[in-house]
């Protein structure tokens, strides 16, 4: 019988560790919902002890998503496991993912532990996690550079302690496919109790080999793969979900396996993740890049016209690339727009649809044909900002050109309906606009990224702007601050308006996060306390911990 490869998606955990990704709870939930529709088996929703926001995201996803295993990452420490267990309390199928480094480099420089100490700590962590959940996954960090003999010992010990899945990460993306496949094979041959656990592979892309290594892992016995949408993740990223899944589907002759993925949702989820993280997909990105199915040279076009199979190994429709039959214009009504948006994979609430429709009419008024790329830009610009809207752009006027001082007058409407206007000058129209917005909003932020893309060809192209701001947010109600990044985006036929919207979007998210951080902290502490109380009632043992400055008291240190 054809075996199934389990798809473990870590877009919301390792993917979120990409510098500047910084998604909030609402965005993470939106991605989790689409991952569920896509059919992934496991969603790694976050690293709950890392911040109250991460805790809240895992907790929300655990409550809302019922058809996937929901996994939370921890270090091999009791306090991390407590917090993960509390965040997963409402999950239908919870999994705790704990672990420790195994390479001598990690043991010596990061952990300051001997091999024996690390092995014992790993075993203790698995046993402790088993008190909360049945399904415990253990990661052996930096396995790609570890002594295999020690690695085998650790795996045997943690499986004996109850690990149901063993995750073998090539943390630094150091290995080659032959080496990696050989290591997975050796694990199967040399770890005596390996049949009691699933082998998972987690490959990073530092040398561009994450997908190839993951596939080598499968061919040598891995039955779970850890991937992210668009391959986002620490440094050069992780193995990309779309590449691994489509390699299995396309090369059935080499990979006699199935996955539960509905490939038709690959393209829509790729766009969603790009929109919500602000990470633009390179045009030549395998599977989902805008050029992945474009044929520009004469010879290729000639071949394609004779038969698609000459230059195309994947049918774009199989991954959900929209093939447009309806032309949308100023005469198109709500019905046609709704239909096209559904075909593109968008599920919008009534409120979101109405905003998209109003923007569509404005764009269609100025452009004879509104194509799919315009629609994607409109949806990405309109479906998110209102969730965080403290300020809305009411009006904007700029004066610029040669021999004039660029000047912008911006009017923002605040949540209480008041309109506040300010005029500022700058080195250019966008600088002047941002200065005027800063004067109204009155928050100290640093603009760290500003990108403009023309979405369609021609002089009437829609412009899409992505901004990223850096802010210091207060924590613990005192002077302590954390640095956080907020992404914003805006689309418009007018590039200055798109820029103003993108900046305001980021600022609104920052203002919402400031409020949320305060509440998240209190709510998370309460949830952790409840979980620990239950734990104490069952096991009669507990210890004292301090979570993000909020003491959740437990009585004794666990042995
Ligand atoms: O790359 C890595 O080693 C990881 C582990 C935490 C699983 O992401
Ligand atoms: Zn990783």
């Amino acid at each position: 019988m054809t075996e199934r490869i389990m798809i473990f998606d870590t877009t919301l955990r390792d993917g979120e560790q990409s510098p500047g990704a910084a998604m909030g709870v609402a965005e993470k939930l939106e991605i989790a919902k689409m991952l569920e529709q896509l059919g992934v088996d496991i969603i790694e929703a976050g690293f709950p002890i890392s911040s109250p926001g991460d805790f809240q995201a895992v907790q929300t996803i655990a409550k809302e998503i019922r058809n996937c295993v929901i996994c939370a990452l921890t270090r091999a420490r009791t306090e991390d496991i407590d917090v993960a267990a509390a965040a997963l309390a409402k999950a239908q199928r919870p999994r705790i993912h704990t672990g420790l480094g195994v390479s001598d480099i990690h043991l010596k420089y990061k952990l300051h532990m001997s091999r024996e100490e690390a092995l014992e700590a790993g075993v203790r962590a698995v046993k402790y996690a088993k008190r909360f959940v049945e399904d415990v996954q253990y990661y052996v960090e930096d396995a790609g550079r570890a002594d295999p003999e020690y690695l085998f010992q650790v795996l045997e010990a943690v499986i004996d302690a109850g690990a149901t899945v063993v995750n073998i990460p090539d943390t630094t993306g150091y290995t080659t496919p032959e080496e990696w496949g050989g290591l997975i094979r050796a694990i199967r041959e040399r770890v005596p109790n390996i049949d009691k656990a699933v082998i998972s592979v987690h490959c990073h892309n530092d040398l561009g080999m994450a997908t190839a290594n993951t596939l080598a892992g499968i061919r040598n016995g891995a039955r779970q793969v850890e991937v992210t949408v668009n391959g986002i993740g620490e440094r050069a990223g992780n193995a990309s979900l779309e590449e691994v899944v489509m390699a299995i589907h396309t090369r059935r002759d080499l990979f006699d396996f199935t996955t539960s993925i509905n490939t038709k949702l690959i393209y829509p989820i790729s766009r969603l993740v790009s929109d919500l993280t602000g990470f633009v997909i390179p045009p030549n990105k395998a599977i989902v890049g805008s050029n992945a199915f474009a044929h520009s040279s004469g010879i290729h076009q000639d071949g394609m016209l004779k038969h698609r199979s000459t230059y195309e190994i994947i049918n774009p429709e199989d991954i959900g690339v929209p093939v447009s039959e309806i032309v949308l214009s100023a005469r198109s009504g709500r019905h046609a727009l709704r239909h096209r948006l559904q075909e593109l994979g968008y599920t919008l609430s009534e409120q979101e649809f109405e905003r998209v429709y109003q923007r569509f009419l404005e764009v269609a008024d100025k452009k004879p044909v509104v194509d799919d790329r315009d629609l994607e830009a409109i949806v990405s610009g309109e479906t998110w900002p209102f969730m965080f809207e403290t300020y809305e752009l009411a009006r904007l006027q700029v004066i610029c050109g040669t021999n004039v001082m660029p000047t912008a007058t911006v009017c923002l409407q605040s949540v209480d309906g008041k309109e506040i206007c300010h005029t500022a000058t700058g080195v250019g129209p966008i600088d002047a606009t941002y200065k005027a917005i800063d004067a109204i909003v009155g928050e100290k932020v640093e603009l760290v990224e500003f990108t403009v893309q023309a979405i369609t060809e021609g002089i009437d192209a829609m412009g899409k702007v992505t901004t990223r701001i850096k802010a210091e947010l207060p924590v613990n109600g005192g002077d302590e601050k954390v640095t956080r990044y907020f992404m914003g985006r805006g689309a418009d036929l007018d590039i200055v308006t798109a820029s103003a919207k993108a900046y305001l979007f980021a600022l609104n998210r920052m203002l919402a996060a400031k409020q949320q951080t305060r509440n998240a902290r209190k709510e998370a502490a309460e949830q952790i306390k409840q979980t620990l109380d239950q734990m104490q009632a069952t096991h009669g043992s507990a210890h004292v911990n301090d979570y993000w400055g909020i003491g959740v008291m437990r009585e004794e240190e666990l042995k």
Side-chain angles (χ1 to χ4, degrees), residues 153-175:
Q153 276 175 29
V154 173
L155 293 175
E156 183 178 354
V158 295
I159 294 171
D160 269 347
T164 43
V165 180
V166 282
N167 173 19
I168 321 296
D170 182 20
T171 304
T172 54
Y174 179 70
T175 63

Side-chain angles (χ1 to χ4, degrees), residues 46-56 58-59 62 71-75 77-90 95-96 128-129 132 520-521 523-525 527-529 531-532 535 543 545-548 550 552 554:
F47 179 18
I49 201 165
S50 66
S51 72
D54 231 46
F55 178 90
Q56 210 184 25
V58 176
Q59 192 183 33
C71 177
L73 185 81
T74 80
R75 292 164 297 184
R77 296 185 182 183
T78 50
E79 62 268 35
D80 285 34
I81 297 170
D82 290 340
V83 177
L88 290 171
K90 299 253 158 53
R95 177 182 294 181
I96 290 179
Y128 187 63
F132 297 99
R521 193 172 293 277
E523 286 163 16
Q527 177 65 49
I528 294 164
K529 186 168 178 332
T531 306
L532 296 187
M535 162 84 161
H543 65 172
N545 264 321
D546 182 33
Y547 304 102
W548 317 300
I550 303 169
V552 175
R554 306 184 62 189

Side-chain angles (χ1 to χ4, degrees), residues 12 68 266 295 456:
L12 300 175
C68 306
I266 284 182
H295 303 273
T456 46

Side-chain angles (χ1 to χ4, degrees), residues 13-14 73 97 139 141-142 167 169 171 202 204 226:
R13 199 280 296 169
D14 218 326
L73 185 81
H97 186 190
Y139 63 85
E141 196 177 5
D142 204 16
N167 173 19
T171 304
H202 176 112
H204 278 271
E226 309 207 354

Side-chain angles (χ1 to χ4, degrees), residues 128-357:
Y128 187 63
K130 285 292 257 197
R131 292 178 171 209
F132 297 99
V133 295
E134 186 37 49
D135 191 3
V136 175
Q137 172 168 327
Y138 191 85
Y139 63 85
V140 275
E141 196 177 5
D142 204 16
R145 295 187 299 168
D147 170 3
E149 294 301 325
Y150 175 61
L151 174 64
F152 303 150
Q153 276 175 29
V154 173
L155 293 175
E156 183 178 354
V158 295
I159 294 171
D160 269 347
T164 43
V165 180
V166 282
N167 173 19
I168 321 296
D170 182 20
T171 304
T172 54
Y174 179 70
T175 63
T176 62
E178 291 74 17
E179 270 178 298
W180 191 244
L183 182 65
I184 303 302
R185 192 171 52 248
I187 289 172
R188 268 183 49 218
E189 288 166 2
R190 298 282 312 282
V191 177
N193 53 0
I194 197 68
D195 57 317
K196 299 203 171 58
V198 172
I199 302 178
S200 183
V201 281
H202 176 112
C203 300
H204 278 271
N205 207 27
D206 299 65
L207 293 175
M209 288 191 263
T211 298
N213 284 351
T214 303
L215 295 170
I218 293 176
R219 284 170 67 80
N220 286 282
R223 291 296 173 262
Q224 177 180 293
V225 291
E226 309 207 354
V227 289
T228 61
V229 175
N230 298 337
I232 64 170
E234 280 276 358
R235 306 179 311 278
N238 290 62
S240 98
L241 180 147
E242 59 278 7
E243 292 172 17
V244 172
V245 167
M246 289 316 289
I248 297 172
H249 282 238
T250 310
R251 296 304 309 270
R252 278 270 147 73
D253 52 331
L254 295 179
F255 301 99
D256 185 21
F257 299 104
T258 60
T259 72
S260 52
I261 299 297
N262 172 3
T263 62
K264 288 212 186 298
L265 288 180
I266 284 182
Y267 181 83
I269 199 166
S270 160
R271 283 334 188 234
L272 180 73
V273 169
S274 169
D275 269 355
L276 296 185
T277 56
F279 294 143
V280 175
I281 303 165
N284 60 329
K285 166 79 183 66
I287 317 291
V288 290
S290 56
N291 287 350
F293 299 101
H295 303 273
S296 63
S297 86
I299 296 175
H300 287 210
Q301 287 174 347
D302 175 59
M304 282 292 288
L305 289 171
K306 287 176 176 147
H307 203 279
R308 293 183 80 96
S309 64
T310 50
Y311 287 103
E312 211 167 73
I313 57 163
I314 297 171
N315 181 345
E317 282 175 58
D318 289 349
I319 61 153
V321 174
V323 187
S324 197
E325 275 157 22
I326 321 172
V327 175
L328 291 173
S329 69
R331 287 177 304 284
S332 307
R334 279 189 171 76
H335 182 72
L337 178 65
R338 203 187 291 276
H339 180 77
R340 188 72 203 129
L341 290 172
Q342 273 164 3
E343 282 182 344
L344 290 173
Y346 293 113
T347 16
L348 304 184
S349 67
E350 270 312 306
Q351 192 186 6
E352 287 172 325
F353 177 76
E354 214 29 59
R355 278 180 73 119
V356 168
Y357 181 62

Side-chain angles (χ1 to χ4, degrees), residues 392-403:
E392 194 180 344
L393 182 65
R395 272 169 299 125
L396 164 67
Q397 191 178 37
V398 290
I399 303 167
C400 62
T402 46
N403 299 327

